[in-house]
Amino acid sequence: MTDRRNAQISSRKQPKQARSADLVAAILEAAAQVLAKEGAQRFTTARVAEKAGVSVGSLYQYFPNKAAILFRLQSDEWRQTTELLRAILEDDHRPPLERLRALVHAFIRSECDEAGMRVALNDAAPLYRDAPEAQEARVSGGRTVQVFMREALPKASKATRALAGDLIMSTLSAVGKQFSESPRTPAEIEAYADALADMFCAYIRSLDRD
């Protein structure tokens, strides 16, 4: 069962030459455009190949089906989010709460900038969300948050830190998605992120006093 599932969402092969890498990049760029414009329900390999200007056969050399393309797009989004988390939360030149505030602002801006793509990927998630690759891809961001919470709450118990980290990241993800579903001005994004960061920082301070 696992092997079959992996075959459904894993790339057939990795590009080893610059020409092949350019082809994969063109396919993924076209896939992102098709997904953002037409949504997950109308997303097909034929539409992606046409948009990329390549044959369906060339596309299938690297991606066996549409689930594999969508998973690659989702994996890239997870990787970018993880890199964002790491770059901000591991910056030990700034106090923890300052890092948390910076993360909230960066995350909310990112959600609003890429709202169409994120909504479409969420719609497509049933195709790959239970696959082993998907489970593994979500783990690394959690480790970064755990390390940060040890810095932010050095006196708190492990259970308290775990709860705080999960609550903050779950809330950030949920409200970021909801907020970004409507067009927002830069001023609205700034004000919303400020209020959300204030709430999280107050929560951390309250735990630090306990």
Side-chain angles (χ1 to χ4, degrees):
M1 176 66 74
T2 298
D3 291 342
R4 182 177 65 82
R5 182 178 289 169
N6 285 349
Q8 289 178 338
I9 70 168
S10 297
S11 301
R12 287 190 186 276
K13 64 179 181 178
Q14 295 300 317
K16 296 181 179 180
Q17 299 179 348
R19 185 176 179 181
S20 298
D22 289 343
L23 174 60
V24 170
I27 290 171
L28 291 173
E29 176 63 26
Q33 293 176 15
V34 171
L35 184 62
K37 181 179 180 181
E38 302 190 28
Q41 300 305 316
R42 300 189 64 193
F43 184 92
T44 65
T45 53
R47 289 177 186 273
V48 172
E50 180 182 9
K51 184 70 173 178
V54 302
S55 69
V56 174
S58 294
L59 182 151
Y60 282 150
Q61 290 182 41
Y62 298 96
F63 301 100
N65 50 41
K66 72 175 185 178
I69 302 175
L70 290 166
F71 179 70
R72 173 62 183 272
L73 292 176
Q74 180 65 85
S75 295
D76 287 348
E77 195 277 328
W78 280 332
R79 176 180 51 77
Q80 292 165 8
T81 300
T82 298
E83 290 173 356
L84 176 69
L85 278 170
R86 185 175 295 117
I88 295 175
L89 295 184
E90 293 183 0
D91 181 9
D92 57 9
H93 291 93
R94 296 193 290 179
L97 292 188
E98 186 177 321
R99 281 179 259 166
L100 179 57
R101 182 172 291 278
L103 175 65
V104 172
H105 277 266
F107 187 88
I108 295 299
R109 284 195 301 269
S110 175
E111 286 286 298
C112 291
D113 289 343
E114 302 172 14
M117 173 65 72
R118 292 180 193 273
V119 169
L121 283 174
N122 187 65
D123 290 341
L127 292 172
Y128 53 73
R129 65 184 172 198
D130 294 327
E133 297 96 327
Q135 302 292 336
E136 293 167 7
R138 288 190 283 261
V139 170
S140 58
R143 286 195 292 264
T144 298
V145 173
Q146 290 171 12
V147 172
F148 170 76
M149 294 310 300
R150 285 200 294 268
E151 289 187 66
L153 294 168
K155 299 178 182 178
S157 68
K158 182 178 180 180
T160 296
R161 290 195 298 262
L163 175 61
D166 182 64
L167 189 151
I168 288 173
M169 296 311 300
S170 296
T171 302
L172 185 59
S173 178
V175 300
K177 177 181 181 297
Q178 182 180 29
F179 179 74
S180 65
E181 287 175 352
S182 299
R184 305 292 181 176
T185 67
E188 288 175 327
I189 295 171
E190 184 76 10
Y192 191 84
D194 263 336
L196 192 58
D198 286 345
M199 182 178 70
F200 289 153
C201 289
Y203 173 54
I204 293 295
R205 290 191 188 98
S206 72
L207 294 177
D208 195 39
R209 289 194 298 267
D210 292 344

